[in-house]
Amino acid sequence: MSAPLTTAVALFLFKRPEETARVFAEIARARPPVLLLIADAPRPDRPGEAELCAQARAVVEQVDWPCTVKRNYAEHNLGCQRRLHSGLDWVFSECGQAIVLEDDCLPHPDFFRFCEAMLSRYRDDTRIGHIGGSNLQFGRRRGPESYYYSRYNHVWGWASWRRAWAQYDVSLRQWPALRDGGWLRDLLGDTELVLSWTRIFDDVHAGKVDTWDYQWTYCCWTQNQLAVLPAVNLISNIGYGAGATHTQTAGPYAELPLQALDAELLHPRWMIRDDQADQYTERMHGYRPRTWRKAWSRRLRRWLRGG
């Protein structure tokens, strides 16, 4: 048996009791010593939502292991951005480090072991700001190591420390100065990436996007911090569909299969970002739109030629 979990787990929930029950069952198997529950309130203009929220909250009351349970339930609906960032502020005010899950992020049991090992290994290493549970390389393993370093901090199941979250700014107040000073060009060194991320951060700064995770990417980048990502996928997003906030249409990332981690973790010898893996992420996420279109155009031409 693996060692008992010693790190607090934070679970964000809202109105999906079935998904919440599946995720909560995996948390219960891990038996964290502290469970932090964060919930948004129902929207008064959505019929039936209050009942669904109540059902989801009832699921997480079924704690049957020795555990300190703390709750942060909104009295009025805050929406995605305000609920997530205020909830995370609360989580890291309560704990020096935490494992974070949302109600649609189904973890493999090894996810908790991986997060705990990485939290311990990199606790005082300020070059690392984020530990992710998702591997979005679709089975492409870049080397024999159990994880790799990335500039992309996937947030479907993750972990971090108070020291990293302390730099988080949901409003991106310093973004205009950094943008005008050429910071992204210096960081990314690629015109397509700079244009894509400038649009993203401009929209976030202008309040056009109701989200919190782009700001977390910005936070890690402005601190020159990398993410640790597993060599296999430890999180499956089970929330795609009509009830989702941002993933209403099924796509290639919906319900990715889970895979067990190496029994013994093999650490990278050097702390060097895996550029090959990151370029694949950039193409798949559309951060290099023209490059992606060119690649598909070449494939189409080969197919038309019968080659």
Side-chain angles (χ1 to χ4, degrees):
M1 293 181 63
S2 59
L5 190 64
T6 62
T7 303
V9 172
L11 175 62
F12 285 80
L13 57 141
F14 182 34
K15 60 165 186 171
R16 293 184 283 190
E18 292 183 8
E19 290 84 350
T20 301
R22 293 180 64 186
V23 175
F24 182 75
E26 294 303 321
I27 294 174
R29 288 180 62 186
R31 299 170 66 88
V34 178
L35 179 62
L36 305 166
L37 301 171
I38 307 96
D40 206 354
R43 293 163 289 192
D45 60 340
R46 303 294 178 95
E49 192 164 274
E51 291 77 6
L52 290 173
C53 289
Q55 291 171 22
R57 294 184 186 190
V59 166
V60 297
E61 292 302 318
Q62 302 172 41
V63 177
D64 60 359
W65 69 95
C67 180
T68 298
V69 181
K70 301 182 180 183
R71 299 169 183 81
N72 187 305
Y73 291 175
E75 296 182 2
H76 307 285
N77 186 267
L78 300 176
C80 178
Q81 182 187 96
R82 292 175 60 202
R83 178 64 292 195
L84 266 293
H85 99 255
S86 65
L88 288 165
D89 282 347
W90 175 71
V91 166
F92 289 109
S93 71
E94 294 285 329
C95 305
Q97 62 183 37
I99 298 169
V100 182
L101 286 163
E102 295 180 54
D103 59 9
D104 58 357
C105 298
L106 183 67
H108 188 281
D110 286 350
F111 165 73
F112 300 98
R113 174 171 67 91
F114 177 69
C115 287
E116 187 142 90
M118 298 298 100
L119 285 168
S120 176
R121 184 176 182 87
Y122 295 106
R123 180 178 293 118
D124 300 317
D125 191 334
T126 56
R127 295 173 296 177
I128 301 297
H130 175 94
I131 299 152
S134 297
N135 179 295
L136 305 182
Q137 301 290 305
F138 292 91
R140 294 163 178 81
R141 188 156 182 166
R142 307 296 179 178
E145 296 83 7
S146 302
Y147 59 93
Y148 68 95
Y149 304 107
S150 173
R151 68 162 50 115
Y152 293 107
N153 48 354
H154 304 315
V155 295
W156 291 348
W158 58 284
S160 191
W161 307 265
R162 180 185 294 153
R163 62 150 173 91
W165 187 257
Q167 307 301 322
Y168 181 83
D169 175 16
V170 72
S171 302
L172 304 192
R173 287 169 293 183
Q174 299 302 317
W175 161 241
L178 290 173
R179 176 195 59 207
D180 297 344
W183 163 66
L184 270 183
R185 182 182 63 250
D186 296 338
L187 176 73
L188 302 175
D190 180 281
T191 300
E192 282 193 275
L193 288 180
V194 171
L195 290 174
S196 290
W197 282 100
T198 296
R199 285 193 294 268
I200 290 169
F201 292 148
D202 276 345
D203 286 347
V204 171
H205 182 261
K208 295 180 180 179
V209 186
D210 181 27
T211 192
W212 67 276
D213 50 349
Y214 287 139
Q215 296 93 314
W216 181 224
T217 298
Y218 171 91
C219 175
C220 289
W221 287 2
T222 55
Q223 302 303 311
N224 279 326
Q225 292 177 333
L226 294 172
V228 170
L229 300 181
V232 297
N233 186 46
L234 301 176
I235 297 288
S236 183
N237 191 307
I238 59 173
Y240 278 76
T245 300
H246 296 119
T247 54
Q248 295 181 357
T249 303
Y253 297 118
E255 301 193 37
L256 289 176
L258 298 170
Q259 188 175 344
L261 197 63
D262 304 326
E264 293 188 15
L265 294 180
L266 178 60
H267 303 282
R269 185 174 180 182
W270 299 284
M271 190 177 290
I272 299 175
R273 181 177 65 85
D274 192 323
D275 187 61
Q276 186 179 18
D278 279 358
Q279 286 193 39
Y280 182 79
T281 296
E282 289 156 3
R283 293 194 299 271
M284 288 297 292
H285 278 68
Y287 299 144
R288 295 175 181 267
R290 287 179 294 187
T291 303
W292 190 235
R293 285 196 294 270
K294 289 177 182 176
W296 276 108
S297 179
R298 287 194 297 270
R299 292 181 186 180
L300 178 60
R301 287 197 298 270
R302 287 198 299 269
W303 178 79
L304 290 173
R305 291 196 301 268

